[in-house]
């Protein structure tokens, strides 16, 4: 028999974290059955997979069913919920640090920017110089 209270995992949201994320989650759609699984437990399941690196199907049985958790994750990813949560939390952190909510500048490091990979015969190639122009003798 499954207990209503389960042992917490290190990846579970604490109450303060849940209070930050809860208002950012979409409301239940007006049609369809009322959800029987709490969104907090859905988030805890998603965070468990993210934290542990396990497969969705390998989630512990005391969390909601893996297919339900994955379904919410996928739906929220496609609808931009995760991006909106990240943006909102980033703004809160910036304000807490005394900064403007939105950054006003960005820095791009040339070491972290992907460049075009050298392709085959269609790829860009450097012009070849003659050995005389290079100052190299044979």
């Amino acid at each position: 028999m499954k207990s209503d209270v389960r042992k917490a995992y290190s990846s579970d949201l604490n109450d303060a974290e849940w209070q930050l994320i809860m208002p950012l989650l979409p409301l239940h759609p007006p049609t369809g059955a009322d959800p029987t699984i709490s969104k907090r437990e859905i988030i805890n399941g998603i965070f468990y997979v993210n934290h542990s690196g396990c497969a969705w199907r390998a989630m512990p049985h005391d969390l909601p069913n893996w297919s339900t958790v994955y379904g919410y994750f996928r739906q929220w990813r496609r609808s931009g919920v995760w991006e909106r949560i990240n943006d909102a939390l980033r703004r809160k952190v910036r304000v807490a640090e005394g900064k403007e909510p939105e950054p006003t500048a960005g820095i791009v490091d040339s070491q972290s920017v992907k460049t075009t990979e050298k392709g085959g015969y269609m790829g860009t190639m450097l012009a070849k110089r003659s050995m005389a122009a290079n100052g190299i003798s044979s």
Side-chain angles (χ1 to χ4, degrees):
M1 182 179 201
K2 191 173 181 180
S3 172
D4 289 340
V5 180
R6 66 169 177 80
K7 183 179 177 188
Y9 294 101
S10 61
S11 57
D12 284 356
L13 293 170
N14 63 39
D15 290 340
E17 293 166 338
W18 175 239
Q19 291 304 314
L20 288 172
I21 291 178
M22 182 180 54
L24 303 173
L25 295 174
L27 299 172
H28 182 65
T31 59
D34 286 336
T36 57
I37 300 169
S38 80
K39 288 183 185 173
R40 184 172 182 169
E41 281 297 278
I42 297 294
I43 295 285
N44 286 336
I46 293 168
F47 284 9
Y48 180 88
V49 170
N50 185 51
H51 178 79
S52 70
C54 75
W56 290 102
R57 290 177 188 254
M59 284 177 51
H61 295 291
D62 57 347
L63 287 168
N65 184 281
W66 75 267
S67 61
T68 302
V69 173
Y70 176 72
Y72 274 89
F73 170 77
R74 186 170 183 246
Q75 179 184 9
W76 291 344
R77 184 187 67 213
R78 286 182 166 188
S79 63
V81 170
W82 293 114
E83 188 173 351
R84 288 191 298 275
I85 289 172
N86 188 61
D87 290 345
L89 294 177
R90 184 196 67 243
R91 286 184 201 104
K92 285 183 181 280
V93 168
R94 289 183 59 82
V95 169
E97 292 176 347
K99 298 178 182 178
E100 291 295 320
E102 294 296 329
T104 56
I107 297 173
V108 178
D109 179 2
S110 64
Q111 294 297 315
S112 60
V113 175
K114 281 271 193 194
T115 58
T116 332
E117 298 291 329
K118 181 178 178 184
Y121 71 96
M122 297 296 286
T124 305
M125 297 180 67
L126 295 173
K128 292 188 176 183
R129 296 188 291 173
S130 70
M131 292 191 48
N134 283 337
I136 300 174
S137 59
S138 49

